[in-house]
Every structure is written in structure tokens, then in C-alpha cells.
Amino acid sequence: MKPLFGTLSVIIALVSFIPYIKDVFARKTTPHIYSWLVWTILQALATIAILRENSWWSGLGVGCVGLVSLVVFLFSFKYGTKNITFFDTVCLIGALIAISVWVFIHNITLSVILVTIIDFVAFLPTFRKAYQEPHSETAILYVCSGLSNLFSLLSISHHSIASTLYVASLIVTNFLFVGLVLIRRKKENNVIS
């Protein structure tokens, strides 16, 4: 079952970007360039680390998601939000500094804890933007990302902090984000009515 869960994880992750990119071109979704920059860097570094361990299938999945993240980051220059605040810039600088520290950490558990924090900090500008503009995101991407990471978690053979913390945090942050978007949309729609 573990290979099946791993395959489902990659398929769901890649397919989930189709409606997102479609909405970006339709200008329904305005990705936050800072979040997508950090996510692209994290995916690239993770792919390199995985490939160094000769885990080609896992590296392929992470690498494919990283390439799609890069595409969204590049689209952010033209189609991304213009709603960028000082808070967002502080998050970006903090994440980039933490990435530079993360690259030199040789303790796997500490490394996973730090990358989990980096990913969360990178998500904060998108959380803030979605709170203010809940219709500026395609929620299905984050639902699918949460499901993809759930399948990824189920595909892990040995559970430890190093193997599960980051993936588990992605499940939580993606579903929290979807909850925020849906609650804010409902409130916004009630105000309009």
C-alpha cells in the first residue's frame, strides 16, 4: 500500500495545480510571490537532498512539484498580488535567513524542524493576503495539497520526527488555510447580502 499512497500523493499534487494555474491566467487567483519563492527554493533543495540519497522516485515527485512551484513563482511577477506588506517582507527575509542556516545543519531532526518553521513562515504572507482577499486564492489547490501530503504521510515506512513532522505540518497548514479562506468568503458574502 505504501507505494500506492506515494504515487497518489504525487499525482494529486501535480493535478491540483491545473485549476490553480488556470485561475491565475483568468486573474481569479493572485499568488503571493514571496511564498512561492520560498516554496520553490525549499522544493529544489529537498529534491537535491533526496537525489543525493539515491531515492529517485521520491526525488522525481518532489522535483515535479518544485518545477510547478517555480512556474507559479514566475507567473507571480505578472499575475501575482500587489498586496505586499512590510509584514510579508519580514517573513520573506526571515525565511531566506533560515534557509541559509538550514543548508548547513547536519542534524536531520533539527533540519526537519527548521524547514517546517521556514515553510510556515513562508505561508504567512499568503494567509494574510487570503484573510483580506479570500477570493484571491484557489482553495482546491490547498485541499489537494493537504490530501497529497496525507497520502505522503501514509506512504512513510518509519515514523519519526524527521520523517513525519514536515509532512504532517503541511497537512495542518493547508487545511487551516482552506478553513480560513472558506470562513472569510462566507463572512464576505454575508456582508454583501
Side-chain angles (χ1 to χ4, degrees), residues 14 45 50 59 62 66 78 81 97 126 134 143 151-152 163 178 183:
L14 293 176
L45 292 173
I50 291 167
V62 174
K78 181 174 183 178
T81 185
I97 290 170
T126 297
V143 170
F151 282 119
S152 182
S163 67
V178 170
I183 289 168

Side-chain angles (χ1 to χ4, degrees), residues 11-119:
I11 291 170
I12 291 169
L14 293 176
V15 169
S16 69
F17 279 100
I18 295 170
Y20 190 84
I21 291 174
K22 181 181 168 200
D23 284 352
V24 168
F25 282 129
R27 298 189 186 271
K28 293 179 184 175
T29 293
T30 55
H32 199 296
I33 194 167
Y34 291 176
S35 293
W36 287 99
L37 169 62
V38 175
W39 292 335
T40 299
I41 293 169
L42 290 178
Q43 293 292 329
L45 292 173
T47 301
I48 292 166
I50 291 167
L51 292 177
R52 282 187 181 164
E53 296 296 319
N54 292 320
S55 296
W56 296 100
W57 287 109
S58 180
L60 177 66
V62 174
C64 287
V65 172
L67 284 175
V68 178
S69 296
L70 175 62
V71 168
V72 174
F73 166 67
L74 293 173
F75 287 160
S76 297
F77 284 100
K78 181 174 183 178
Y79 300 103
T81 185
K82 305 303 178 224
N83 179 1
I84 296 176
T85 66
F86 178 74
F87 171 79
D88 299 345
T89 304
V90 169
C91 289
L92 173 66
I93 292 168
L96 293 175
I97 290 170
I99 287 171
S100 66
V101 171
W102 173 57
V103 170
F104 296 104
I105 293 178
H106 298 291
N107 178 304
I108 189 74
T109 301
L110 186 56
S111 179
V112 169
I113 291 168
L114 187 56
V115 79
T116 301
I117 293 166
I118 294 166
D119 190 89

Side-chain angles (χ1 to χ4, degrees), residues 97-174:
I97 290 170
I99 287 171
S100 66
V101 171
W102 173 57
V103 170
F104 296 104
I105 293 178
H106 298 291
N107 178 304
I108 189 74
T109 301
L110 186 56
S111 179
V112 169
I113 291 168
L114 187 56
V115 79
T116 301
I117 293 166
I118 294 166
D119 190 89
F120 179 74
V121 170
F123 215 145
L124 290 176
T126 297
F127 265 92
R128 184 208 49 79
K129 177 186 72 86
Y131 181 85
Q132 294 175 344
E133 304 168 11
H135 293 282
S136 71
E137 285 292 340
T138 303
I140 192 69
L141 170 71
Y142 301 95
V143 170
C144 290
S145 182
L147 290 174
S148 170
N149 285 294
L150 178 60
F151 282 119
S152 182
L153 187 67
L154 293 172
S155 75
I156 295 171
S157 299
H158 172 71
H159 293 276
S160 66
I161 290 175
S163 67
T164 60
L165 178 65
Y166 181 58
V167 176
S169 76
L170 294 176
I171 296 166
V172 171
T173 54
N174 278 286

